[in-house]
Amino acid sequence: MAKRTFGVIGLAVMGENLALNVESRGFPIAVYNRSPDKTEKFMAGRAQGKDIKAAYSLEEFVQTLECPRNILVMVKAGKPVDAVIEQLKPLLDKGDTIIDGGNSLYDDTERRTKDLESTGLGFVGMGVSGGEEGALNGPSLMPGGTEAGYRDLEPILTKIAAQVDDGPCVTYIGPGGAGHYVKMVHNGIEYGDMQLIAEAYDLMRSTLNLSGEELEQVFSEWNQTDELKSFLIEITADIFSNTDPKTHKPLVDSILDAAGQKGTGRWTVVSSLELGVPIPTIYAAVNARVMSAYKDERVAASKEIEAPAGNYEGDKQEFINKVRDALYCSKMCSYAQGMALLSKASSEFNFQLNLPEIARIWKGGCIIQAGFLDKIKKAFNENPDLPNLLLAPEFKQSIIDRQAAWREVLSTANQLGIAVPAFSSSLDYFDSYRRASLPQNLTQAQRDYFGAHTYERVDRPRGEFSHTEWTKVAEKSLQTGTTD
């Protein structure tokens, strides 16, 4: 049998689906899994009749691949990736490339890239978005690391990626951990997007008592608009169309309100704090999942703390429209925060990220694919130095036109005691960003008072710092009877 063009290690669902995707595009592949039973099951089932060669040792696996070898590793992030790499290293030749397609922390990818490149091997840390279906039929791919390794892989990756009107949803992201960093931020935006949709649902359910059928109709209609058309809105409408066979009520009502997470949202928040980039919508989304896990405490608290009295008595359709506008404004803030974080990371880590290209490859195959990504791509193409999406003319005007509805929705939520942390954080972000003056002048005065941290003055050049002996000023004021 001829040598294989591509190899896949790890045959969980994502690994299987990517392997089948590669093979379906005309590339003969080899597969290996640590458990022989898993390999045998795959070969007897989904791989039957396909141009796939199974190997039952790493040595056999490596020998079946043509040089330079391209090996995709699809195992759990962390130590398992390091273990596979260490097992592969002595079996490979210079010019071979290992691809990590899991959700690895970008720091780990940075370390692995440097280590393998120093030995003459290539390493590509590749974010893969789109879930199981995307992996099989066309995901959004975010490869970074060894550029020569990516160029060798490019003919394969461009074929297996999702295809949109302006090309395949893959591009070389940048050196080191750039690919996994962009995937991490993608997931952070995804957290924000999902929480905002959940809050829109909660608002309409709690204030208007919409049925599952009505919610399906609302989200289906929203998915026809330029502003909200997206994968997540589409699947949300589909979710409301499903009925629980046991209760004959919407299936979503039978699902426990305690959400899980795998870490990428938290990593995004940590990185933003380290880089000093505000991403409050994404932080609120992560925190909302954490809060949801306190189910028993929340149930107990609900019996002790009464909700505000009153009901919403306004026009039903008018409120739905205002929730739609609030959702769009908040989504723009979430994407603006994510792109701002990518911009800062690009300069800080020398990733040289191409923001228009990143927006383009998110247009298909991935979880956050949305109609307005074309507008985001256009905004950064027209102004590569754009500091924030909120300043792009189209987005700026869109939010200005909708902000009254946005504020009214939050006011209603506050009055009725409905928690909308991501909506609120988005509006706070917008209001903070648009204000020339914030109250942190007092914060700086306090820091200087108790810690002599110094401060800048409004009447002196930036970067020139002053300090006041605050206690002595207070004592002098008391002694002289002055208050100035």
Side-chain angles (χ1 to χ4, degrees):
M1 182 178 285
K3 294 278 188 176
R4 310 278 91 187
T5 303
F6 193 76
V8 177
I9 295 176
L11 293 174
V13 175
M14 287 293 287
E16 282 191 4
N17 283 0
L18 283 167
L20 292 169
N21 187 348
V22 172
E23 191 277 340
S24 72
R25 299 312 193 264
F27 301 99
I29 69 167
V31 296
Y32 168 80
N33 195 79
R34 185 178 61 175
S35 167
D37 291 344
K38 180 67 176 174
T39 305
E40 290 171 358
K41 182 179 179 182
F42 176 61
M43 295 303 298
R46 302 178 74 196
Q48 195 169 29
K50 308 209 180 276
D51 197 358
I52 299 175
K53 165 70 175 174
Y56 293 91
S57 72
L58 279 178
E59 290 80 4
E60 178 191 3
F61 172 78
V62 169
Q63 289 169 7
T64 64
L65 297 172
E66 65 182 30
C67 294
R69 302 177 180 93
N70 292 306
I71 299 172
L72 174 64
V73 178
M74 294 297 295
V75 301
K76 187 177 180 180
K79 292 182 180 179
V81 177
D82 286 323
V84 172
I85 290 173
E86 289 305 311
Q87 292 167 354
L88 281 173
K89 282 168 68 174
L91 304 176
L92 300 180
D93 298 317
K94 289 184 178 181
D96 292 347
T97 298
I98 298 172
I99 310 109
D100 174 14
N103 272 333
S104 290
L105 181 61
Y106 71 96
D107 282 343
D108 288 340
T109 304
E110 193 81 27
R111 167 178 56 81
R112 291 165 185 151
T113 304
K114 291 177 180 177
D115 175 59
L116 289 169
E117 287 182 345
S118 70
T119 68
L121 298 173
F123 187 74
V124 171
M126 183 171 70
V128 179
S129 180
E132 298 173 11
E133 184 177 343
L136 180 64
N137 299 314
S140 174
L141 300 174
M142 293 153 261
T146 307
E147 185 170 3
Y150 169 74
R151 297 304 170 196
D152 192 48
L153 283 164
E154 194 170 17
I156 298 175
L157 299 185
T158 54
K159 289 287 183 63
I160 69 170
Q163 308 293 317
V164 292
D165 57 354
D166 49 6
C169 293
V170 60
T171 191
Y172 177 66
I173 299 295
H180 275 138
Y181 192 94
V182 169
K183 176 55 163 54
M184 177 190 76
V185 174
H186 164 285
N187 284 21
I189 296 171
E190 177 186 313
Y191 270 57
D193 216 347
M194 292 174 70
Q195 177 62 24
L196 290 167
I197 293 170
E199 291 176 15
Y201 147 69
D202 192 18
L203 280 163
M204 292 184 291
R205 180 190 62 172
S206 299
T207 61
L208 306 177
N209 197 30
L210 296 189
S211 66
E213 185 178 350
E214 289 173 315
L215 287 164
E216 178 191 0
Q217 181 179 349
V218 167
F219 280 96
S220 294
E221 289 175 355
W222 287 359
N223 195 49
Q224 302 305 312
T225 66
D226 290 339
E227 295 85 359
L228 293 180
K229 182 177 176 60
S230 66
F231 172 75
L232 284 171
I233 294 291
E234 179 183 356
I235 69 168
T236 301
D238 196 34
I239 285 168
F240 289 120
S241 72
N242 282 263
T243 301
D244 184 356
K246 292 183 178 181
T247 66
H248 304 292
K249 295 179 180 180
L251 179 57
V252 70
D253 292 345
S254 298
I255 298 175
L256 188 71
D257 57 323
Q261 56 180 309
K262 292 187 176 180
T264 46
R266 174 169 49 82
W267 294 346
T268 307
V269 170
V270 170
S271 180
S272 76
L273 293 172
E274 291 173 343
L275 294 176
V277 179
I279 57 167
T281 307
I282 297 170
Y283 176 80
V286 174
N287 192 59
R289 294 198 190 188
V290 175
M291 178 62 80
S292 76
Y294 286 76
K295 176 64 176 180
D296 294 340
E297 287 188 39
R298 291 188 289 109
V299 170
S302 70
K303 299 173 182 177
E304 300 286 337
I305 305 172
E306 292 185 3
N311 297 297
Y312 180 75
E313 298 178 352
D315 181 82
K316 181 178 178 179
Q317 187 58 51
E318 185 179 340
F319 188 71
I320 291 173
N321 293 342
K322 288 176 180 177
V323 172
R324 177 200 62 207
D325 289 345
L327 176 58
Y328 180 63
C329 292
S330 298
K331 280 168 64 76
M332 280 298 93
C333 287
S334 183
Y335 278 77
Q337 292 162 30
M339 300 306 280
L341 180 56
L342 288 178
S343 180
K344 182 64 178 289
S346 181
S347 59
E348 188 75 15
F349 303 136
N350 197 29
F351 284 158
Q352 302 174 30
L353 300 181
N354 185 330
L355 297 185
E357 263 294 274
I358 290 171
R360 187 193 69 78
I361 67 170
W362 287 348
K363 286 170 53 180
C366 72
I367 304 303
I368 66 170
Q369 60 179 282
F372 56 67
L373 280 162
D374 250 334
K375 297 178 181 179
I376 294 176
K377 171 190 168 185
K378 179 183 177 184
F380 284 110
N381 271 329
E382 290 179 347
N383 183 3
D385 298 321
L386 184 68
N388 193 293
L389 272 176
L390 298 182
L391 297 178
E394 183 170 352
F395 294 128
K396 178 180 66 177
Q397 192 59 49
S398 292
I399 291 182
I400 289 172
D401 292 343
R402 293 167 175 79
Q403 65 171 318
W406 193 10
R407 296 180 192 281
E408 187 173 332
V409 166
L410 265 67
S411 176
T412 300
N414 292 336
Q415 289 172 5
L416 299 179
I418 301 170
V420 284
F423 271 37
S424 299
S425 295
S426 298
L427 182 57
D428 288 343
Y429 176 77
F430 172 74
D431 280 336
S432 294
Y433 192 73
R434 68 167 183 80
R435 291 188 66 193
S437 297
L438 294 172
Q440 274 60 53
N441 53 330
L442 177 58
T443 303
Q444 284 300 87
Q446 292 169 331
R447 294 180 69 242
D448 191 53
Y449 190 110
F450 64 68
H453 292 293
T454 73
Y455 56 86
E456 296 173 279
R457 292 180 57 90
V458 297
D459 54 1
R460 293 183 185 174
R462 291 296 304 271
E464 183 178 320
F465 291 88
S466 302
H467 169 64
T468 295
E469 294 293 336
W470 297 94
T471 304
K472 292 181 179 179
V473 169
E475 290 175 351
K476 182 178 180 182
S477 296
L478 289 172
Q479 291 170 1
T480 61
T482 61
T483 57
D484 291 339

